[in-house]
Amino acid sequence: MPDTGLLRDDARAAPVSAGEVVVIGLGYVGLPIALEAAAAGYAVTGYDLDPSAAHAAEAAASGLGGEGRFLATADPRALPRAETWLICVPTPLDGVGQPDLSLVQAALATCRAGLRAGALVCLVSTCQPGATNGMCRAALEADGFVVGRDIFLAVSPERENPGGEITGPRRIARLLGAPDAVSLARARAFWERIAERVITVATPEIAECAKLLENTYRLVNIALIDELHRGFAALGVPTRAVIEAAATKPFGFAPFWPGAGAGGHCIPVDPGFLQMELARAGVASALIAAATEANRQRPARILAAMTAAFGGSLAGRRVLVLGVTYKPEVPDLRGAAPMALLHGLAQHGAEVLWHDPVLGPAPAGLGGARRVEHPAGHDAEAVVLGAPHRAYDPAWVAGLAPLVFDPFGMLRGDSVRAV
């Protein structure tokens, strides 16, 4: 049971322990934060339900140095009663497209079991607006603590860019919000040790909504460009050249590029959190709904174009998909549109081959699709560019099969079909 004794003012301003931090969730968000905190001198304990993730985290920490400042465990009983607790667990959509917050709720229970007076809990996982001041606050105050007096609460939504030029918690500016000034100060003192820039906002809800707006903005614009890509192709105008020309405008325009559909852990997911709360407030967004559905249907539209090119049937056609990850150079299949293409092709009766130079061992769930070690020499009747990895030379891909389907607008040649 947590210590529910009240803090004196002088105790409130002092560290509760010698810089101990617990990071709950050691995935693509939690592990980099844990390692950065360890490098900044904190004694960090990483916790993950998956023992293999804990072992991998310790191996990563060993490779980067910092032994003695980082430990990882899958046993909640091994967690210290730390000064700072960070919740970095996944928040996916469930089977009906609604946000699944079960892992956040489990993480809050883990915090409660080891929480002591004076500790800070910071939500990093993406959640709906109101989650910090609502769900998180209610869970942490259930045993008698009062946020802002006995314990402290903040939100600093994750901002990761896998495969990008700017990555990691130190280089990417962090938003930070809290329900009260003392919580904000405590959280800022922590984050300023591991991030180059910390931007505080007036309320937790502003930080939560800003995170959701970032990826809703991306989803809507990607859906727009994917839609216009078909239109520009019908007009005989190269889409990427249009975007490059528009991007010369020094204000009011940000370039987005066509593709097989937005995937990954953020863009297809985060707008659902915002839409859920908008619907509860009676102001659900028709534009978000349309962009979400357009993105969901993007692989189906590519399949429809392929079917039409083959005279109405893909049955028996040998089709090769080049790149199956959600993003070039990133070995991640979460929400990957090329995976939907693989399944759709198989359902249409095609003989499906796939190749991906950045993916490790073949994952489960690819149906009847067969992996090939090299894309050439398989007598494919059609090639689909699923993810434009650097290993795929555009000119070479354009000549790989009698029909080459290009959702990205990157290829040129008589065999190429923009889809």
Side-chain angles (χ1 to χ4, degrees), residues 195-208:
E196 293 175 357
R197 188 180 182 203
V198 178
I199 303 160
T200 60
V201 295
T203 68
E205 291 77 17
I206 293 173
E208 293 161 342

Side-chain angles (χ1 to χ4, degrees), residues 262-280:
H265 46 268
C266 287
I267 299 176
V269 175
D270 292 358
F273 286 86
L274 182 57
Q275 184 76 313
M276 179 179 70
E277 291 305 304
L278 293 176
R280 286 177 179 170

